[in-house]
Structures are given as structure tokens and as C-alpha cells.
Amino acid sequence: MNLLQKWNRISLVKRIIVGLIIGAALGAVIPAFTVIGVLGELFVGALKALAPLLVFFIVMQALASRKSGSGSNMKTVVILYLLGTFFAALCAVVASFLFPSTLLLAEGASNAAPGGIGEVLKNLLTSAVSNPVASIANANYIGVLLWAVVLGLALQSASEQTKLVLANISDALSTAIRWVINCAPFGIMGLVFTTVSTTGFAAFATYGRLILVLVGCMLFVALVVNPLMVFVCLRSNPFPLVLRCLKESGVMAFFTRSSAANIPVNMKLCEDLGLDRNKYSVSIPLGATVNMAGAAITISVLTLSAAHTLGVSVDFPTALLLSLVATVSACGASGVAGGSLLLIPLACSMFGISNDAAMQVVGIGFIIGVIQDSCETALNSSSDVLFTATAEFYARRKAAKK
């Protein structure tokens, strides 16, 4: 027990770094000992299992207990989400013009991809009205959010005892999530072990330039564009908040590679930042679905790389249109590993690139996914907390001036 208490007193980030180093070392030395990788699967599985229930009950309880006349900052959050995604797509377009990449188009994946923006939006709306039990079981967060909002509003006139039961269930789920997050060092160790022992990094040499453009864009957005947006809203140094979000949310998301699985981590960070639970309980799961700056970068860079490889001439107005398409498409990307890649054929269709060639680009995306998707998810998930916190601090700043 003494050893356990000493271990728990060490900060979570430091424990994760220890797990990362041990996992990488074991993956290099004993790659055949695959049982270590099970720890990563168990960790991500536990997060994914609890996250839909946590979102459903917290949102429902928050709305059921909401007092009439209490303010909301969801409009500001949504605007920040959409602007952040659009600016990320625009940065990716500019970077693709400055540093064009060439792909080796070989036989690739054959997954089904959406046929147009209309289909993406239709899928979103269809998901929203999906059966609530099925939505929770399948981690369909649009459906989970919609039904949690509907039931939460319907329960506003319920008795105080009913609301207390909802609050107790929400608290119990939050406690369970904290227990799971406390096991993160072992989960990260398993995930890193699996990556090092099975994937390696030899395949990345062929697409080194492409990876540099993708990761460079994501770093630029995380360390320049997002801080500028925060500064415009808060008129103060944005980097303490930006770096904390990257450290406590981005690091975890980098290894889980799932915005959905990182929802509990983000909610815990919002709690630590002193944010209003009634607000972040809605904005964080919404962000895991529609705040997809990293996905917009992936879609834009890989599409323009395909166009450059095939000799398709792209002028800047068309590329600007691509930014808008990538923004809308990214909002339809699922919150799971590789969710943005299947939207590449939609963007490629703008330039007359065949679906066969586009699906080969998707195949390349999966090859470099260990780096691309990890960085993408880290950017997406950390900015969910960043923009949620920015919107609330902005509202407090405005209220203080009155």
C-alpha cells in the first residue's frame, strides 16, 4: 500500500512518460511477448465503454437541474470549433502549395466512402435520431447528445429525488472514469508496445516529406493559430492554457488515437480548470464530433498531394473551396482512429480524381496513420478543452466588465 500511495503521488503525466519508455523498450527487446499489448486494448476499451454512459447521464442531469435564466456559452464554443477547423484547413492548403508532396499510388484500400457533402450531412442527421440505447452501445455521440438533451429538458419538471438519482449516477460514472484514467500509464505502455513491436518506422521513410507537412501543419495550428484565437478572445497570454491542454489532453489522445475515448480525460481536465460542468458536459462530447482541425488538415494535405501527383492543376480559389469542403467533411469524421481518411475521396472528387486513385490515397493514410492519426487526434481533442475553456473565460471576462 505504501508503494501504491507513493506511485499515486507522482503526477499522471510523469507516470505516463515512464509507461511510454518502458513500453517502447519492451516492444524493441521482446516484440513477441504480445500479452503486454493487451493492457492498451483494455485501457482504451474501458474508456470507450464508460464514455457514452458518462456523456448521456451528465448531459441529462445538467439540463434537468438547470435553473431557468442561467446563461450558456454554446454559441461561442461552436463558433470557435468551426473557425478553428476552417483555419486549420486553410493552413494545410497554404502548406501544400509551399511544400507539395508526391505519393506512390499503388493498390490501396477499398473501404466504402461517402459520395458527397450531402451524404455526410445526411449521415450526421440520421445518427442524431438513432435509437438512444443503440447510440450508447455504438458510441454514436451525436445520437447520445440529442437524446440526453431531449430527456434532460423533459426531466426539468421531475421531482428533486429523481434529479438526485441522476446526480448520483453521474458522480458514480465520474469516479469510475477517474479510476480508469489512473491506470493510463499501464494502458499507454501497452499501446506503445504494440506500435513498436508490430509497425516499426521503416515504412515512414517513403513518405517522410508528407508526414513532415502533415505534422508541421498540426504543430503550427496547435502552437500559433489556436493561441492567436485564444488571445483575441481573452486578451491575455494564451500559452499557459494551450500548453496545459496539450500536456494533459493531447498526450493521452496521441496514444489512444480516439477523440471519443478521450472524452472522459477532457471532462476531468475541464473539472480541474474550474469550468462549469453544465457547460462542458455538452461542449466536450460535441467537440469530439465536430471540432476536427486535425481531420481538416489530413483531408486537405492528402487531397492536394494526390492532385500534385496526378498532375491536376489547382488554383488558389479552388483550394480555398477545398478548405470549406474539408471543414464540413471533417465535422462528419468519426471520433475513432482513422475516421478522417474515408472522407478523402469526397474531397478528391472536386478535382476529378477517380475513386480508385482516391482510395489508394486512403491506403497511404493508413500506412502513415501511426504518426498522422496520433497527431491529428491530439490536436482535435486538446482543442476541445481549449475552446471550451476559452468560451467560458471569455463569458466571465465580459460579465466582469459589466
Side-chain angles (χ1 to χ4, degrees):
M1 289 301 295
N2 266 346
L3 189 62
L4 184 62
Q5 288 172 357
K6 288 178 181 177
W7 171 255
N8 287 333
R9 280 198 291 268
I10 302 171
S11 76
L12 183 61
V13 173
K14 290 179 181 177
R15 283 184 277 153
I16 287 174
I17 292 172
V18 171
L20 188 159
I21 294 170
I22 294 173
L26 292 175
V29 176
I30 48 172
F33 202 61
T34 55
V35 69
I36 299 173
V38 175
L39 293 173
E41 294 177 20
L42 291 174
F43 175 65
V44 175
L47 285 176
K48 286 184 176 179
L50 286 173
L53 285 170
L54 179 73
V55 170
F56 184 74
F57 280 100
I58 281 185
V59 172
M60 187 165 56
Q61 185 265 329
L63 290 174
S65 305
R66 185 172 178 266
K67 306 298 182 185
S68 58
S70 59
S72 171
N73 57 4
M74 281 306 299
K75 180 180 176 182
T76 307
V77 173
V78 171
I79 289 172
L80 287 172
Y81 281 170
L82 294 178
L83 282 177
T85 303
F86 174 71
F87 289 148
L90 196 59
C91 289
V93 166
V94 173
S96 295
F97 272 92
L98 293 175
F99 310 103
S101 302
T102 303
L103 308 177
L104 298 176
L105 294 182
E107 186 176 351
S110 58
N111 306 60
I117 291 179
E119 187 175 342
V120 171
L121 296 177
K122 178 187 173 185
N123 290 340
L124 280 174
L125 294 174
T126 304
S127 297
V129 294
S130 177
N131 180 284
V133 176
S135 295
I136 293 173
N138 299 321
N140 165 22
Y141 286 95
I142 288 291
V144 170
L145 268 178
L146 175 71
W147 292 116
V149 168
V150 169
L151 292 173
L153 293 175
L155 285 168
Q156 282 187 336
S157 57
S159 66
E160 290 303 316
Q161 288 86 346
T162 300
K163 294 177 183 178
L164 181 61
V165 169
L166 288 176
N168 288 339
I169 294 174
S170 298
D171 291 340
L173 286 167
S174 297
T175 300
I177 285 293
R178 281 195 287 271
W179 290 345
V180 173
I181 291 174
N182 211 35
C183 297
F186 305 101
I188 296 300
M189 181 180 72
L191 292 169
V192 173
F193 172 87
T194 300
T195 299
V196 173
S197 63
T198 61
T199 308
F201 297 95
F204 303 142
T206 308
Y207 299 109
R209 183 185 180 90
L210 176 64
I211 292 171
L212 286 175
V213 172
L214 283 166
V215 175
C217 285
M218 292 174 194
L219 285 173
F220 184 79
V221 169
L223 298 175
V224 178
V225 176
N226 285 352
L228 280 174
M229 292 177 64
V230 174
F231 176 76
V232 168
C233 291
L234 304 182
R235 303 294 179 182
S236 61
N237 181 6
F239 284 101
L241 179 60
V242 169
L243 295 177
R244 183 170 183 183
C245 291
L246 287 171
K247 183 179 77 171
E248 298 189 27
S249 172
V251 169
M252 192 80 77
F254 182 90
F255 293 106
T256 62
R257 295 172 61 196
S258 170
S259 296
N262 216 48
I263 286 175
V265 178
N266 283 350
M267 286 193 166
K268 177 66 169 61
L269 177 54
C270 287
E271 181 185 340
D272 294 343
L273 288 170
L275 305 184
D276 186 341
R277 178 171 170 170
N278 292 346
K279 295 173 182 176
Y280 71 69
S281 61
V282 177
S283 64
I284 291 298
L286 179 65
T289 306
V290 303
N291 181 35
M292 293 286 171
I297 289 171
T298 297
I299 293 167
S300 300
V301 169
L302 286 176
T303 299
L304 289 175
S305 296
H308 179 71
T309 301
L310 297 171
V312 178
S313 178
V314 181
D315 55 23
F316 197 78
T318 308
L320 184 62
L321 179 60
L322 172 64
S323 300
L324 293 171
V325 171
T327 300
V328 176
S329 301
C331 293
S334 60
V336 297
S340 61
L341 295 176
L342 292 182
L343 293 162
I344 290 170
L346 164 60
C348 284
S349 66
M350 289 179 56
F351 305 106
I353 298 172
S354 70
N355 192 58
D356 287 342
M359 291 313 299
Q360 291 173 29
V361 178
V362 174
I364 291 170
F366 280 109
I367 291 172
I368 63 172
V370 172
I371 293 179
Q372 168 268 323
D373 198 41
S374 296
C375 294
E376 175 185 313
T377 310
L379 174 60
N380 290 343
S381 195
S382 62
S383 57
D384 291 347
V385 183
L386 179 67
F387 291 146
T388 293
T390 299
E392 184 160 336
F393 294 154
Y394 174 70
R396 291 180 190 176
R397 180 170 165 265
K398 283 179 64 178
K401 285 185 176 180
K402 291 182 181 179

